[in-house]
mmCIF file of all heavy atoms in Angstrom:
data_model
loop_
_atom_site.group_PDB
_atom_site.id
_atom_site.type_symbol
_atom_site.label_atom_id
_atom_site.label_comp_id
_atom_site.label_asym_id
_atom_site.label_seq_id
_atom_site.Cartn_x
_atom_site.Cartn_y
_atom_site.Cartn_z
ATOM 1 N N LEU A 18 0.829 -1.208 0.000
ATOM 2 C CA LEU A 18 0.000 0.000 0.000
ATOM 3 C C LEU A 18 0.866 1.262 0.000
ATOM 4 O O LEU A 18 0.591 2.217 -0.734
ATOM 5 C CB LEU A 18 -0.918 -0.025 1.219
ATOM 6 C CG LEU A 18 -2.189 0.812 1.179
ATOM 7 C CD1 LEU A 18 -3.092 0.362 0.039
ATOM 8 C CD2 LEU A 18 -2.920 0.697 2.502
ATOM 9 N N LEU A 19 1.917 1.271 0.808
ATOM 10 C CA LEU A 19 2.822 2.423 0.834
ATOM 11 C C LEU A 19 3.466 2.664 -0.529
ATOM 12 O O LEU A 19 3.587 3.811 -0.979
ATOM 13 C CB LEU A 19 3.911 2.210 1.891
ATOM 14 C CG LEU A 19 3.507 2.387 3.354
ATOM 15 C CD1 LEU A 19 4.597 1.865 4.270
ATOM 16 C CD2 LEU A 19 3.213 3.848 3.669
ATOM 17 N N GLU A 20 3.868 1.604 -1.182
ATOM 18 C CA GLU A 20 4.477 1.745 -2.500
ATOM 19 C C GLU A 20 3.482 2.336 -3.506
ATOM 20 O O GLU A 20 3.829 3.198 -4.308
ATOM 21 C CB GLU A 20 4.981 0.386 -2.987
ATOM 22 C CG GLU A 20 6.345 0.006 -2.465
ATOM 23 C CD GLU A 20 7.431 0.876 -3.081
ATOM 24 O OE1 GLU A 20 7.790 0.645 -4.248
ATOM 25 O OE2 GLU A 20 7.914 1.803 -2.397
ATOM 26 N N CYS A 21 2.244 1.868 -3.447
ATOM 27 C CA CYS A 21 1.217 2.411 -4.348
ATOM 28 C C CYS A 21 0.957 3.886 -4.039
ATOM 29 O O CYS A 21 0.757 4.691 -4.954
ATOM 30 C CB CYS A 21 -0.072 1.610 -4.219
ATOM 31 S SG CYS A 21 -0.013 -0.002 -5.023
ATOM 32 N N CYS A 22 0.954 4.244 -2.766
ATOM 33 C CA CYS A 22 0.730 5.645 -2.395
ATOM 34 C C CYS A 22 1.830 6.553 -2.941
ATOM 35 O O CYS A 22 1.570 7.607 -3.514
ATOM 36 C CB CYS A 22 0.659 5.783 -0.874
ATOM 37 S SG CYS A 22 -0.854 5.151 -0.128
ATOM 38 N N ARG A 23 3.064 6.133 -2.778
ATOM 39 C CA ARG A 23 4.167 7.007 -3.191
ATOM 40 C C ARG A 23 4.301 7.065 -4.713
ATOM 41 O O ARG A 23 4.773 8.059 -5.262
ATOM 42 C CB ARG A 23 5.457 6.584 -2.521
ATOM 43 C CG ARG A 23 6.067 5.290 -2.999
ATOM 44 C CD ARG A 23 7.340 5.564 -3.795
ATOM 45 N NE ARG A 23 8.140 4.357 -3.951
ATOM 46 C CZ ARG A 23 9.258 4.333 -4.650
ATOM 47 N NH1 ARG A 23 9.704 5.407 -5.252
ATOM 48 N NH2 ARG A 23 9.933 3.199 -4.756
ATOM 49 N N ASN A 24 3.866 6.028 -5.413
ATOM 50 C CA ASN A 24 3.958 6.019 -6.872
ATOM 51 C C ASN A 24 2.761 6.663 -7.556
ATOM 52 O O ASN A 24 2.752 6.798 -8.792
ATOM 53 C CB ASN A 24 4.117 4.584 -7.383
ATOM 54 C CG ASN A 24 5.492 4.015 -7.099
ATOM 55 O OD1 ASN A 24 6.490 4.719 -7.198
ATOM 56 N ND2 ASN A 24 5.551 2.736 -6.741
ATOM 57 N N ASN A 25 1.746 7.050 -6.772
ATOM 58 C CA ASN A 25 0.529 7.612 -7.364
ATOM 59 C C ASN A 25 0.150 8.958 -6.751
ATOM 60 O O ASN A 25 -1.002 9.377 -6.842
ATOM 61 C CB ASN A 25 -0.623 6.620 -7.214
ATOM 62 C CG ASN A 25 -0.465 5.402 -8.104
ATOM 63 O OD1 ASN A 25 -0.870 5.410 -9.265
ATOM 64 N ND2 ASN A 25 0.140 4.350 -7.570
ATOM 65 N N THR A 26 1.073 9.621 -6.148
ATOM 66 C CA THR A 26 0.894 10.978 -5.622
ATOM 67 C C THR A 26 -0.334 11.092 -4.730
ATOM 68 O O THR A 26 -1.176 11.986 -4.899
ATOM 69 C CB THR A 26 0.800 12.011 -6.776
ATOM 70 O OG1 THR A 26 1.681 11.639 -7.830
ATOM 71 C CG2 THR A 26 1.197 13.391 -6.271
ATOM 72 N N ILE A 27 -0.466 10.157 -3.796
ATOM 73 C CA ILE A 27 -1.573 10.201 -2.842
ATOM 74 C C ILE A 27 -1.371 11.388 -1.898
ATOM 75 O O ILE A 27 -0.274 11.625 -1.392
ATOM 76 C CB ILE A 27 -1.652 8.879 -2.050
ATOM 77 C CG1 ILE A 27 -1.918 7.708 -3.004
ATOM 78 C CG2 ILE A 27 -2.734 8.953 -0.976
ATOM 79 C CD1 ILE A 27 -3.175 7.818 -3.821
ATOM 80 N N LYS A 28 -2.447 12.113 -1.634
ATOM 81 C CA LYS A 28 -2.352 13.323 -0.813
ATOM 82 C C LYS A 28 -2.260 13.029 0.680
ATOM 83 O O LYS A 28 -1.753 13.848 1.447
ATOM 84 C CB LYS A 28 -3.560 14.231 -1.091
ATOM 85 C CG LYS A 28 -3.637 14.731 -2.525
ATOM 86 C CD LYS A 28 -4.930 15.496 -2.777
ATOM 87 C CE LYS A 28 -5.042 15.925 -4.236
ATOM 88 N NZ LYS A 28 -6.362 16.574 -4.501
ATOM 89 N N HIS A 29 -2.755 11.863 1.105
ATOM 90 C CA HIS A 29 -2.771 11.561 2.533
ATOM 91 C C HIS A 29 -3.092 10.084 2.727
ATOM 92 O O HIS A 29 -4.048 9.568 2.136
ATOM 93 C CB HIS A 29 -3.830 12.416 3.245
ATOM 94 C CG HIS A 29 -3.784 12.371 4.738
ATOM 95 N ND1 HIS A 29 -4.831 12.839 5.524
ATOM 96 C CD2 HIS A 29 -2.858 11.915 5.618
ATOM 97 C CE1 HIS A 29 -4.526 12.692 6.796
ATOM 98 N NE2 HIS A 29 -3.343 12.122 6.883
ATOM 99 N N LEU A 30 -2.299 9.407 3.533
ATOM 100 C CA LEU A 30 -2.590 8.045 3.959
ATOM 101 C C LEU A 30 -2.939 8.063 5.438
ATOM 102 O O LEU A 30 -2.141 8.498 6.272
ATOM 103 C CB LEU A 30 -1.382 7.126 3.730
ATOM 104 C CG LEU A 30 -1.442 5.754 4.417
ATOM 105 C CD1 LEU A 30 -2.577 4.905 3.847
ATOM 106 C CD2 LEU A 30 -0.105 5.018 4.293
ATOM 107 N N VAL A 31 -4.144 7.603 5.763
ATOM 108 C CA VAL A 31 -4.573 7.422 7.152
ATOM 109 C C VAL A 31 -4.657 5.921 7.386
ATOM 110 O O VAL A 31 -5.221 5.194 6.565
ATOM 111 C CB VAL A 31 -5.948 8.082 7.403
ATOM 112 C CG1 VAL A 31 -6.421 7.818 8.823
ATOM 113 C CG2 VAL A 31 -5.871 9.574 7.123
ATOM 114 N N TYR A 32 -4.095 5.438 8.497
ATOM 115 C CA TYR A 32 -4.076 3.996 8.716
ATOM 116 C C TYR A 32 -4.359 3.674 10.184
ATOM 117 O O TYR A 32 -4.068 4.464 11.082
ATOM 118 C CB TYR A 32 -2.723 3.392 8.299
ATOM 119 C CG TYR A 32 -1.541 3.942 9.067
ATOM 120 C CD1 TYR A 32 -1.041 3.278 10.185
ATOM 121 C CD2 TYR A 32 -0.931 5.139 8.686
ATOM 122 C CE1 TYR A 32 0.028 3.794 10.897
ATOM 123 C CE2 TYR A 32 0.144 5.657 9.382
ATOM 124 C CZ TYR A 32 0.617 4.981 10.492
ATOM 125 O OH TYR A 32 1.672 5.500 11.208
ATOM 126 N N ALA A 33 -4.944 2.501 10.383
ATOM 127 C CA ALA A 33 -5.269 2.042 11.731
ATOM 128 C C ALA A 33 -4.039 1.450 12.391
ATOM 129 O O ALA A 33 -3.435 0.508 11.879
ATOM 130 C CB ALA A 33 -6.379 1.001 11.680
ATOM 131 N N SER A 34 -3.683 2.009 13.544
ATOM 132 C CA SER A 34 -2.740 1.363 14.436
ATOM 133 C C SER A 34 -3.574 0.783 15.575
ATOM 134 O O SER A 34 -4.733 0.441 15.370
ATOM 135 C CB SER A 34 -1.679 2.351 14.924
ATOM 136 O OG SER A 34 -0.704 1.686 15.704
ATOM 137 N N SER A 35 -3.028 0.672 16.765
ATOM 138 C CA SER A 35 -3.774 0.035 17.855
ATOM 139 C C SER A 35 -3.227 0.443 19.206
ATOM 140 O O SER A 35 -2.019 0.702 19.357
ATOM 141 C CB SER A 35 -3.673 -1.490 17.712
ATOM 142 O OG SER A 35 -4.164 -2.149 18.854
ATOM 143 N N SER A 36 -4.091 0.463 20.202
ATOM 144 C CA SER A 36 -3.638 0.691 21.576
ATOM 145 C C SER A 36 -2.733 -0.436 22.046
ATOM 146 O O SER A 36 -1.990 -0.283 23.021
ATOM 147 C CB SER A 36 -4.839 0.817 22.523
ATOM 148 O OG SER A 36 -5.590 -0.388 22.551
ATOM 149 N N SER A 37 -2.762 -1.568 21.346
ATOM 150 C CA SER A 37 -1.909 -2.694 21.725
ATOM 151 C C SER A 37 -0.425 -2.355 21.661
ATOM 152 O O SER A 37 0.391 -3.024 22.305
ATOM 153 C CB SER A 37 -2.182 -3.889 20.807
ATOM 154 O OG SER A 37 -3.508 -4.336 20.918
ATOM 155 N N VAL A 38 -0.062 -1.326 20.902
ATOM 156 C CA VAL A 38 1.366 -0.987 20.787
ATOM 157 C C VAL A 38 1.955 -0.565 22.130
ATOM 158 O O VAL A 38 3.174 -0.615 22.316
ATOM 159 C CB VAL A 38 1.621 0.124 19.733
ATOM 160 C CG1 VAL A 38 1.136 -0.314 18.357
ATOM 161 C CG2 VAL A 38 1.006 1.449 20.150
ATOM 162 N N TYR A 39 1.111 -0.141 23.082
ATOM 163 C CA TYR A 39 1.628 0.311 24.371
ATOM 164 C C TYR A 39 2.163 -0.843 25.226
ATOM 165 O O TYR A 39 2.932 -0.613 26.157
ATOM 166 C CB TYR A 39 0.556 1.103 25.128
ATOM 167 C CG TYR A 39 0.280 2.437 24.483
ATOM 168 C CD1 TYR A 39 -0.877 2.651 23.733
ATOM 169 C CD2 TYR A 39 1.190 3.479 24.590
ATOM 170 C CE1 TYR A 39 -1.114 3.872 23.116
ATOM 171 C CE2 TYR A 39 0.955 4.702 23.967
ATOM 172 C CZ TYR A 39 -0.201 4.893 23.232
ATOM 173 O OH TYR A 39 -0.427 6.104 22.616
ATOM 174 N N GLY A 40 1.762 -2.073 24.926
ATOM 175 C CA GLY A 40 2.381 -3.250 25.514
ATOM 176 C C GLY A 40 2.569 -3.197 27.008
ATOM 177 O O GLY A 40 1.607 -3.078 27.777
ATOM 178 N N LEU A 41 3.836 -3.282 27.442
ATOM 179 C CA LEU A 41 4.159 -3.337 28.865
ATOM 180 C C LEU A 41 4.229 -1.968 29.534
ATOM 181 O O LEU A 41 4.603 -1.884 30.706
ATOM 182 C CB LEU A 41 5.497 -4.075 29.058
ATOM 183 C CG LEU A 41 5.496 -5.566 28.691
ATOM 184 C CD1 LEU A 41 6.900 -6.149 28.830
ATOM 185 C CD2 LEU A 41 4.509 -6.353 29.544
ATOM 186 N N ASN A 42 3.876 -0.911 28.816
ATOM 187 C CA ASN A 42 3.898 0.427 29.429
ATOM 188 C C ASN A 42 3.041 0.456 30.695
ATOM 189 O O ASN A 42 1.921 -0.066 30.716
ATOM 190 C CB ASN A 42 3.370 1.478 28.451
ATOM 191 C CG ASN A 42 4.348 1.778 27.333
ATOM 192 O OD1 ASN A 42 5.230 0.972 27.045
ATOM 193 N ND2 ASN A 42 4.204 2.917 26.696
ATOM 194 N N LYS A 43 3.544 1.072 31.726
ATOM 195 C CA LYS A 43 2.823 1.163 32.996
ATOM 196 C C LYS A 43 2.284 2.569 33.263
ATOM 197 O O LYS A 43 1.330 2.727 34.028
ATOM 198 C CB LYS A 43 3.735 0.741 34.152
ATOM 199 C CG LYS A 43 4.203 -0.714 34.073
ATOM 200 C CD LYS A 43 3.042 -1.691 34.132
ATOM 201 C CE LYS A 43 3.521 -3.126 34.115
ATOM 202 N NZ LYS A 43 2.387 -4.096 34.064
#
């Protein structure tokens, strides 16, 4: 998807991340 965005002059990519990235954070 990133490659397609950069090769097609996409104005903005919005993507889902997750609260799971916080992992062991206290």
